[in-house]
Amino acid sequence: MLHALAAGWDADAEALTRAAGLDPTALADPDGRVPGPQMEALWHAAVAATGDAHLGLRLGAAADIASLGVVGYVLQSTSTLGAALDAFARYVTLFTDGLRARVVRPPVGAFGGEAVLEFVAVGTAERNYLLRSPRYPMEATVAGALVIAGALVGDTLPPASLEFAHDAEADAPAVAAQVLGTPVDYGSDSYRFRFAAAALDWPVLRASPALLSAFEAQAAAAIEVFSARRTRPVSEGVLRAVTEQLRGQAPAVDEVADALAMGVRTLQRRLEDEGSSYSALLDEARHALALRHLGRSDVPVAEIAFLLGFSEPSAFTRAFRRWTGDAPTAYRRRAAASASDGRRTLGD
C-alpha cells in the first residue's frame, strides 16, 4: 500500500507511517503483521494526504499479482481461473486475519449462470477494523481481486456486477464504473463480484502444474506459522513492543498498551485470556535479548544489564541464572568456544 501510494500518488510514505503510529523498522519484516487499528489509521491518513475519497477503488485497480508473494505464484501455477480463485480463497488469511473468501458456483449441471467471489469480514467490530471502517480496504480488496483475476487469464472478466455493502457517496458509482470499467452496486448485503460462470474454465496464462505443488506446500506452511502465532496475537504484539522500547529502562505497561492502541485493562484481560501476563512477557523479551547480546563478545555484561533495564549487573546475573542455569560470562565463554569449534570444523 505504501509503495503504491509513493509511486502513484507521490505520497510521503514515511509521514503516513508516522501518522498511523507504525514503526518503520517493523515493516522491514516480510512475515510481520500490522495491527488492525494501525491499518485503519493508515487508510484514513492516506485518504487525507491524497485528498482522494475513492482511494480504495484506485488502489484496487492498480493491484499487481507480484505483491501477493507466494500466493501469487500459486495462482499463476493453477490450470484454470476457477482453481486460482479457490486457491486465493484458501490462502486469503495470509493477508489478513479478519477476512475470509469463498467461490460460489452455479448448481452442477446448470447451463450458464453466474459465479461469485465473496469476501466476509469475521469477528466483531471491536476487534476487526474491517467491520468498523470497511469502505476503503474492502473496496481495494474486491477491486484488486477482480483486476488480478483478469490478469491471470489475460483478459477482462465479464462480471455481471461488483457489490459493496456500504452506501455510495454521490459520485461513487460513476467513479467506480470509470476506474474499473464495470458497474458497481452499493448497499448490498456483502462484498463480492459476480461474473459469467463460463470464465471459471478459462485457462491461466502461465499455468505450471509441476510448480503448483511446491508453491502450495510453501503457502500451506506459511498458514501453519500464522495459525500458531494467532493463538497468542496480543502476546506477540507485547513482545514486539517491549523489545522495541527496552532501551535502558523497562517500558511501563501503559506505554506498551498505547503502542498497541488499546487500554491497559483491555491489554491485561486479553493477555490473561492467552494464559500470559505483562511481567512474564517482559521477562521473555529480556531473556531473548540477553542471549542475542551475549552472542556478541564486544558488549560488556554490565552494559547488557543496563540495556535490559536491570537496576544493577547482579540483578541481571540472578535473572540469567534463572533462565539458563548459567552465569552470563560462563554462557558467553561456552557460546564463543562452540562458534570457534564450528569454524574449525568448516575449515577442515
Side-chain angles (χ1 to χ4, degrees), residues 102-195:
R102 64 174 184 150
V103 182
V104 182
R105 292 169 165 80
V108 176
F111 178 76
E114 293 179 337
V116 177
L117 179 62
E118 181 176 43
F119 296 90
V120 178
V122 297
T124 64
E126 179 187 6
R127 297 196 174 191
N128 188 353
Y129 86 101
L130 296 175
L131 290 166
R132 290 193 306 269
S133 306
R135 180 185 171 188
Y136 306 118
M138 293 306 292
E139 286 185 353
T141 297
V142 180
L146 173 67
V147 168
I148 286 172
L152 286 168
V153 295
D155 204 348
T156 301
L157 286 187
S161 65
L162 198 143
E163 301 176 14
F164 297 145
H166 57 271
D167 293 331
E169 292 190 358
D171 61 340
V175 172
Q178 177 188 20
V179 171
L180 300 174
T182 186
V184 177
D185 295 330
Y186 290 83
S188 174
D189 61 345
S190 186
Y191 289 91
R192 59 171 76 96
F193 68 82
R194 302 176 181 273
F195 57 99

Side-chain angles (χ1 to χ4, degrees), residues 39 239 242 285 333:
M39 274 305 303
L239 279 172
V242 168
R333 281 196 300 271

Side-chain angles (χ1 to χ4, degrees), residues 6 19 22 41 60 72 112 170-171 217 265 275-276 282 286 288 291 294 301 307 319 331:
L22 285 168
D171 61 340
R265 290 185 179 179
S276 189
L282 173 60
R286 280 172 155 171
L291 296 179
L294 286 167
V301 170
L307 288 172
Y331 174 87

Side-chain angles (χ1 to χ4, degrees), residues 340-348:
S340 176
D341 289 344
R343 285 192 294 272
R344 283 198 296 272
T345 300
L346 288 173
D348 294 342

Side-chain angles (χ1 to χ4, degrees), residues 9 43-44 46-59 135-137 139 166-172 175 186:
W9 283 260
W43 273 109
H44 290 297
V47 171
T50 61
D52 189 347
H54 305 288
L55 185 62
L57 279 175
R58 299 190 206 279
L59 281 174
R135 180 185 171 188
Y136 306 118
E139 286 185 353
H166 57 271
D167 293 331
E169 292 190 358
D171 61 340
V175 172
Y186 290 83

Side-chain angles (χ1 to χ4, degrees), residues 1-2 5 16-17 20 22 37-47:
M1 179 179 174
L2 289 168
L5 287 167
L16 290 174
T17 302
L22 285 168
Q38 291 179 322
M39 274 305 303
E40 183 178 14
L42 180 59
W43 273 109
H44 290 297
V47 171

